[in-house]
Amino acid sequence: MILNLVGTINPDNHSDNVTPDDDAELARCAADLIYWFNNYCVAFDPRLSNPYSKFTLWPKQEEFLLWLQERERTQTPGLVEKSRDSGVSYLCCGYALHRWLFGSGFAAGFGSRKAEYVDNLGDPKSIFEKIRMLLRGLPAWQHPAGFDWRRHSAEAKLINPANGSTITGESGDGIGRGGRTSIYFVDE
């Protein structure tokens, strides 16, 4: 899947040619996080000639996503020690976005030591800009019914009007002091 310069989806991509009436494809995306990532998610890397590229998960990345599902399901903490360019930030963002899209009443939280690391509009290094880029890269039929960027995407907050799910962010001393979440990610 490739984005053009204005952030719309390339209509030549096979994944975008699925119609909104294809309930089976939407159900498959909802049921299979790995399938959804490999077929619909786009990552950003400014070092590449085409900085928007389709995600193709490595086996360890698939294993990590399944591990995240287990952490959420069992409500057990986890710690990830990672190297740069392993995609963990994108994987956490994508995991939260998938659950936000397909999980009713889901609430994800993201925290970092500085506010600009959590959300800095237009800065692909910030967590929420990664989430926005992932959402913009999806075909429109995967966006929640009634979703409006101006009303449902604010600073460090993303609201799904169709199912009540949220993704929120916090920074500094405020990390973890907000409401309850289904899963919470702390980044550097």
Side-chain angles (χ1 to χ4, degrees):
M1 182 177 305
I2 301 189
L3 301 180
N4 69 24
L5 293 176
V6 295
T8 57
I9 296 171
N10 180 347
D12 295 330
N13 184 314
H14 76 280
S15 299
D16 297 328
N17 294 331
V18 177
T19 66
D21 296 328
D22 193 346
D23 293 333
E25 181 64 10
L26 198 57
R28 183 171 184 189
C29 289
D32 189 341
L33 172 65
I34 305 301
Y35 173 82
W36 177 77
F37 244 103
N38 281 327
N39 287 279
Y40 293 101
C41 288
V42 174
F44 176 77
D45 187 342
R47 299 170 296 184
L48 302 176
S49 60
N50 177 6
Y52 297 99
S53 59
K54 183 175 163 277
F55 239 106
T56 303
L57 296 171
W58 308 325
K60 281 291 184 189
Q61 291 174 320
E62 291 180 8
E63 184 181 315
F64 176 72
L65 288 169
L66 297 175
W67 179 80
L68 283 179
Q69 282 182 322
E70 183 68 10
R71 300 287 66 74
E72 182 189 353
R73 187 185 67 73
T74 60
Q75 290 294 288
T76 53
L79 174 68
V80 177
E81 292 187 34
K82 65 172 189 81
S83 61
R84 292 274 175 218
D85 282 346
S86 60
V88 170
S89 295
Y90 265 109
L91 295 173
C92 292
C93 290
Y95 179 84
L97 183 62
H98 182 268
R99 294 285 291 125
W100 178 86
L101 287 166
F102 302 115
S104 183
F106 171 78
F110 282 88
S112 189
R113 62 189 172 87
K114 290 187 170 185
E116 62 265 22
Y117 296 165
V118 176
D119 196 1
N120 191 9
L121 190 61
D123 182 355
K125 292 180 290 193
S126 75
I127 293 165
F128 270 79
E129 195 59 23
K130 284 178 174 65
I131 296 169
R132 286 186 200 101
M133 285 191 297
L134 285 165
L135 181 56
R136 282 187 205 108
L138 295 175
W141 56 267
Q142 281 193 25
H143 290 202
F147 181 78
D148 180 312
W149 283 99
R150 292 172 301 240
R151 291 190 342 217
H152 302 111
S153 176
E155 184 177 353
K157 186 181 293 184
L158 201 58
I159 302 165
N160 182 329
N163 67 14
S165 292
T166 59
I167 303 174
T168 57
E170 303 166 317
S171 62
D173 293 337
I175 291 176
R177 295 185 185 203
R180 297 176 190 258
T181 58
S182 307
I183 192 165
Y184 197 93
F185 300 95
V186 178
D187 192 32
E188 354 186 5

